[in-house]
Amino acid sequence: MRVHAYAAPAAAAPLAPTVIERRAVGANDVLIEIKYAGICHSDIHTVNGDWGLQPYPVVPGHEIVGIVAEVGADVTRHRVGDRVGVGCMVNSCGRCVNCRNGDEQYCLEGMVPTYAGTDRDGTVTQGGYSTHVVVDADFVLSVPEGIDLAAAAPLLCAGITTYSPLRHWGAGPGKKVAVVGLGGLGHMAVKIAHAMGAEVTVLSQSLKKQEDGLRLGADHYHATGDPDTFERLAGRFDLIVNTVSARIDVDAYLGLLAVDGTLVNVGAPGEPLSLNVFSLIGARRSYAGSMIGGIAETQEMLDFCAEHRFGADIELISADQINEAYQRVLASDVRYRFVIDTATLG
Amino acid sequence: MRVHAYAAPAAAAPLAPTVIERRAVGANDVLIEIKYAGICHSDIHTVNGDWGLQPYPVVPGHEIVGIVAEVGADVTRHRVGDRVGVGCMVNSCGRCVNCRNGDEQYCLEGMVPTYAGTDRDGTVTQGGYSTHVVVDADFVLSVPEGIDLAAAAPLLCAGITTYSPLRHWGAGPGKKVAVVGLGGLGHMAVKIAHAMGAEVTVLSQSLKKQEDGLRLGADHYHATGDPDTFERLAGRFDLIVNTVSARIDVDAYLGLLAVDGTLVNVGAPGEPLSLNVFSLIGARRSYAGSMIGGIAETQEMLDFCAEHRFGADIELISADQINEAYQRVLASDVRYRFVIDTATLG
């Protein structure tokens, strides 16, 4: 099956329309007619080759929502016409201890990324900037009614990436949670932590987006560009979710944690960070990392968002705006996620 | 009250006999006739001025055991003749959230260290290399029968410093725990983790102390000097307790952790460490720090050791061997803790 897509032909080259091949629908596969695909910052890192040379052409996109168009003979969980989503992975070994525990993202044989990865049949995966995709049914999520389909797309990466650590480290009533950075991930972290019942503080470079932050559910908003912030908030938080991939002063942020507090990175800078162990020892603090979330947990997150009636805040764009959108993402000029209307793809 | 002691008269100067003043026994105080005092590596760091200039003369010693000689009018918990101990702290504010939670070591006003600290009455604290000490009853522990008194001394620092993180991070049956370094702290970590029912692995620079490690309760013993170790044990452990204060390759040790595993430092190098955040994100790992333990937890640890009938492995020395013992500690030539017989002090 040949389908329309947008692909990066080479590192750092602009994306352009193309046609790609999707595999035949196997017994456990689902064919999805893609309706919307979110633009994630990591799409840009990948196509630019920031994380190493890729198998070009690369069709990015791992925030995919659409409608089931066909299912394989063995598929029982999804039916033609269902609203479904696909996130950052499309396969894993299914047998290792992490897969058995529902942590497919940490599969010991390596999970299969939705694009620019090698699938278990040896083919290179191609992502969601496309009209159709064929995915193993076990990696297809149900998008419940109660979330606008376009606004649901970013939940598949930005949503689960923030929901998972918030859940894992116990965000909820009585807990003080800080979110570092108010971008695509940060704005989801604020919505989710607020819906979980935590007291939410945004730590952003400036107060530029303060009004937005409070509207999204934050109780407090502070500028990290103001050095007083780190003194005034010392020892305050139970959990800090750092959504900023750039280098940060880890010790400064650890100083904002109460005893037993955790600073968790959901992104990572390319270069190593410097950390003074006394920042940890002085209050039994932890510095942790978290990567997306498991499949069952992703479904739980979608159900949670539907129950609380929110998706992402998005700007809907057409395919011919993708390259411009990339520039705007790099300039942090998006509130808060670009979503491609795939009807415009070809 | 004037009592015999051994003090460092200046930074890096040899310790020498002296006489110091102990305060009168207040209403909530306990006068302890010290029987034994352990030598902790941090005694050496402190008297050498490695951690900043100190209020010389400094009488070190925060692994103190002895017999109650007198109690103040309000003291009900301890009686004359009781076997008691004092660890790394002798006071705290008692009112802050951490004190109220039993985490006096993380007192927001700063706990009062047993020596070279400023007590809440403004006097400089002097430690356990001495025949007597007067301590607030709330910071005096009961040393249960079932532990040899001399072997109990190192429990007050080395014991609680390792017990606390092992308990906090859930060492027990079904858990794989690694202990980095087999010194004073490491040998206690092995004994305690084994008694808790965990599967214990020692990670030591060489296999020199392997026989000891297995005798102390380790199930496995590996040399970190052998680079294969890090490949063979990748992803193995639920918890790694790092007792080595020198710089380590944090990323290499994080790579030994399974999903949700924690590497916890109980000591810290003076300079910052380098850490690649991908080491955390790849398996939702944490890097944490822990400092001694609370008072109630220290009592729990002493009761635990008594129940399991073990103290530290010690070399008993007389006061005139202290300076030589310091040299041997610096050369890692002690199995596994020097304890001063305070009857030899003066």
Side-chain angles (χ1 to χ4, degrees), chain B:
Chain B
M1 178 181 184
R2 291 176 65 75
V3 305
H4 291 288
Y6 249 67
L15 276 71
T18 188
V19 170
I20 58 169
E21 184 76 27
R22 293 297 188 185
R23 71 167 179 253
V25 176
N28 199 44
D29 279 343
V30 174
L31 171 66
I32 301 168
E33 185 191 342
I34 300 174
K35 293 295 187 186
Y36 302 102
I39 293 178
C40 175
H41 204 137
S42 52
D43 296 351
I44 306 174
H45 282 300
T46 304
V47 303
N48 281 356
D50 296 343
W51 294 341
L53 201 64
Q54 303 298 326
Y56 297 99
V58 169
V59 177
H62 58 207
E63 295 184 337
I64 302 171
V65 291
I67 304 295
V68 174
E70 187 185 335
V71 296
D74 296 346
V75 175
T76 54
R77 205 191 300 183
H78 304 288
R79 278 183 293 195
V80 171
D82 283 358
R83 290 154 47 104
V84 292
V86 175
C88 301
M89 53 187 172
V90 290
N91 226 324
S92 72
C93 83
R95 295 178 306 272
C96 73
V97 60
N98 298 337
C99 286
R100 291 200 313 273
N101 286 342
D103 288 322
E104 298 89 353
Q105 74 276 31
Y106 304 127
C107 173
L108 292 179
E109 297 190 13
M111 59 83 161
V112 178
T114 300
Y115 61 83
T118 304
D119 208 343
R120 300 186 68 78
D121 63 6
T123 59
V124 171
T125 57
Q126 300 286 11
Y129 298 6
S130 171
T131 57
H132 297 78
V133 66
V134 178
V135 178
D136 187 292
D138 295 339
F139 288 79
V140 176
L141 290 308
S142 297
V143 177
E145 302 296 329
I147 318 179
D148 174 72
L149 200 56
L155 301 182
L156 277 305
C157 171
I160 185 61
T161 297
T162 50
Y163 178 91
S164 182
L166 287 166
R167 190 58 95 196
H168 186 78
W169 278 281
K175 291 298 176 79
K176 291 188 168 68
V177 173
V179 174
V180 183
L182 194 66
L185 269 66
H187 99 288
M188 285 311 310
V190 170
K191 287 186 182 208
I192 292 168
H194 174 69
M196 286 176 172
E199 182 181 328
V200 182
T201 298
V202 173
L203 301 174
S204 186
Q205 222 152 4
S206 74
L207 297 178
K208 221 169 51 184
K209 301 182 187 168
Q210 179 167 23
E211 205 175 308
D212 269 21
L214 299 177
R215 178 182 56 77
L216 292 166
D219 301 286
H220 316 282
Y221 202 106
H222 295 277
T224 55
D226 176 357
D228 281 358
T229 293
F230 289 91
E231 273 184 41
R232 265 182 296 137
L233 303 181
R236 169 85 54 112
F237 301 107
D238 300 299
L239 175 64
I240 302 177
V241 177
N242 175 24
T243 73
V244 174
S245 288
R247 284 178 70 101
I248 59 163
D249 179 345
V250 179
D251 295 310
Y253 285 94
L254 288 172
L256 301 181
L257 291 171
V259 164
D260 291 330
T262 300
L263 167 66
V264 53
N265 260 46
V266 294
E271 333 83 83
L273 294 175
S274 165
L275 179 150
N276 188 324
V277 184
F278 285 102
S279 306
L280 300 170
I281 288 181
R284 199 165 50 206
R285 297 175 179 119
S286 296
Y287 186 33
S290 176
M291 185 174 74
I292 48 175
I295 291 297
E297 193 178 35
T298 304
Q299 190 61 60
E300 178 189 305
M301 176 275 305
L302 288 165
D303 296 344
F304 177 88
C305 291
E307 187 195 325
H308 291 272
R309 307 238 148 223
F310 66 80
D313 282 22
I314 64 165
E315 295 190 35
L316 198 63
I317 62 167
S318 55
D320 58 7
Q321 295 176 289
I322 291 173
N323 291 306
E324 183 198 338
Y326 273 26
Q327 294 311 313
R328 289 184 51 200
V329 169
L330 291 174
S332 298
D333 175 25
V334 49
R335 297 194 178 184
Y336 280 87
R337 206 65 154 176
F338 288 115
V339 171
I340 304 161
D341 179 351
T342 58
T344 63
L345 273 169

Side-chain angles (χ1 to χ4, degrees), chain A residues 131-211:
Chain A
T131 57
H132 297 78
V133 65
V134 177
V135 179
D136 186 293
D138 295 339
F139 288 78
V140 176
L141 289 310
S142 298
V143 177
E145 302 298 328
I147 319 178
D148 172 74
L149 199 57
L155 300 182
L156 278 305
C157 170
I160 185 61
T161 297
T162 51
Y163 178 92
S164 182
L166 286 166
R167 190 58 95 194
H168 186 78
W169 278 282
K175 291 298 176 80
K176 292 188 169 69
V177 173
V179 174
V180 182
L182 194 67
L185 269 66
H187 99 288
M188 285 311 309
V190 169
K191 288 184 180 208
I192 293 168
H194 174 69
M196 286 175 172
E199 182 181 327
V200 182
T201 299
V202 173
L203 301 173
S204 186
Q205 222 154 0
S206 74
L207 297 179
K208 220 170 51 186
K209 300 181 188 167
Q210 180 168 21
E211 205 176 307

Side-chain angles (χ1 to χ4, degrees), chain A residues 7-176:
Chain A
L15 276 70
T18 186
V19 171
I20 58 169
E21 183 77 26
R22 295 296 189 186
R23 70 169 179 251
V25 177
N28 199 44
D29 280 342
V30 174
L31 171 66
I32 302 168
E33 185 190 341
I34 300 175
K35 292 295 188 187
Y36 302 103
I39 292 179
C40 176
H41 203 134
S42 52
D43 296 350
I44 305 176
H45 281 302
T46 305
V47 302
N48 280 356
D50 296 343
W51 293 341
L53 201 66
Q54 303 299 326
Y56 297 99
V58 169
V59 177
H62 58 207
E63 296 184 336
I64 303 170
V65 291
I67 304 294
V68 174
E70 187 184 337
V71 296
D74 296 347
V75 176
T76 55
R77 206 191 297 183
H78 304 287
R79 276 183 293 195
V80 172
D82 283 358
R83 288 154 49 104
V84 293
V86 175
C88 300
M89 51 186 174
V90 290
N91 226 325
S92 72
C93 84
R95 294 178 307 269
C96 74
V97 60
N98 297 338
C99 285
R100 290 200 312 271
N101 286 341
D103 288 321
E104 298 89 352
Q105 74 274 35
Y106 304 128
C107 173
L108 293 178
E109 296 190 15
M111 59 82 159
V112 178
T114 301
Y115 61 84
T118 304
D119 208 343
R120 300 186 67 77
D121 63 6
T123 58
V124 171
T125 56
Q126 299 285 11
Y129 298 7
S130 170
T131 57
H132 297 78
V133 65
V134 177
V135 179
D136 186 293
D138 295 339
F139 288 78
V140 176
L141 289 310
S142 298
V143 177
E145 302 298 328
I147 319 178
D148 172 74
L149 199 57
L155 300 182
L156 278 305
C157 170
I160 185 61
T161 297
T162 51
Y163 178 92
S164 182
L166 286 166
R167 190 58 95 194
H168 186 78
W169 278 282
K175 291 298 176 80
K176 292 188 169 69

